Amino acid sequence: MKHIASVAGTMLPIDAPPARPIPARQRRRAIQWREQLERQAGSAMAGAETPAARDSVEAAYRVEVERGPDFTKVRRNSGTETPIACRDRNKLNVVLVYLQRLERESWQKDKAVAEHESRRITRTIGRCVRPVLVALCGLARRFDRVYPSLERIASLALCSRRTAVAALATLTELGLVVVHRR
């Protein structure tokens, strides 16, 4: 049996996939993006003092129009490569033991300072940092890539979302966790 396109010739575009309709929300966002780009280019053209500056603004405008809008949910300066979680149990246990040692040492220093200044002890490393790290290690043991939401981390660590954010900030400062923004 011959292929239909070879029999009919090039008159029928049978091999082309059907065009997907563009959703209304995406069309509106594209229009808003274009209007914002035109406003920015117009204000930059009005502020340009020399013809060379106007030409450079116009060239940058053309480049942005050719590139088109990017509606993927990727933030600026975020990495495009997908991080791979460590699935080695021994390495994950080493990280947990290291955090436990840091907690113990910082607690002793905090306690000594508090006793010296006769005030209440404030912890350098919060109480929920360890449960958040344990939750992330548990997810890393099960999956190759770990993309939990803040709500999921908070539910696994049995803390609030705000506390999970603070714990992640502490873990990134300590260098135990790398946060990739999506």
Side-chain angles (χ1 to χ4, degrees):
M1 183 181 289
K2 292 184 179 181
H3 195 271
I4 295 175
S6 64
V7 174
T10 59
M11 298 190 52
L12 296 174
I14 294 176
D15 292 337
R20 289 186 357 198
I22 299 172
R25 179 176 181 217
Q26 190 172 358
R27 280 195 306 261
R28 285 192 306 267
R29 288 178 70 192
I31 290 169
Q32 290 172 351
W33 174 83
R34 184 69 180 248
E35 289 172 353
Q36 182 181 6
L37 185 65
E38 288 173 358
R39 278 194 302 268
Q40 290 173 349
S43 65
M45 290 284 275
E49 297 175 357
T50 63
R54 287 189 197 105
D55 291 340
S56 66
V57 168
E58 192 173 325
Y61 172 74
R62 273 192 246 116
V63 167
E64 284 297 320
V65 168
E66 286 178 14
R67 192 179 331 167
D70 182 23
F71 296 136
T72 58
K73 295 183 179 180
V74 177
R75 298 179 185 205
R76 289 180 193 252
N77 302 325
S78 63
T80 55
E81 67 278 350
T82 56
I84 299 174
C86 176
R87 293 186 74 183
D88 185 14
R89 288 184 356 191
N90 293 331
K91 288 182 182 177
L92 293 174
N93 286 338
V94 166
V95 169
L96 288 171
V97 168
Y98 178 70
L99 178 67
Q100 186 177 7
R101 195 179 85 217
L102 281 176
E103 280 181 322
R104 188 173 41 243
E105 290 173 1
S106 68
W107 172 254
Q108 290 171 353
K109 289 179 183 175
D110 294 340
K111 186 176 178 182
V113 169
E115 287 175 357
H116 177 69
E117 296 177 356
S118 65
R119 63 175 171 81
R120 201 171 134 224
I121 300 173
T122 56
R123 298 174 63 107
T124 306
I125 299 176
R127 293 181 190 271
C128 283
V129 173
R130 184 170 174 79
V132 166
L133 186 63
V134 168
L136 290 174
C137 287
L139 290 172
R141 284 185 180 133
R142 278 188 245 147
F143 307 108
D144 286 337
R145 302 190 189 322
V146 180
Y147 291 118
S149 64
L150 292 172
E151 288 80 14
R152 178 73 174 152
I153 293 171
S155 68
L156 290 173
L158 300 174
C159 62
S160 68
R161 184 179 187 274
R162 182 178 281 178
T163 307
V165 169
L168 281 174
T170 303
L171 288 171
T172 54
E173 285 177 16
L174 294 174
L176 298 176
V177 172
V178 178
V179 176
H180 291 271
R181 300 179 76 171
R182 291 188 272 175

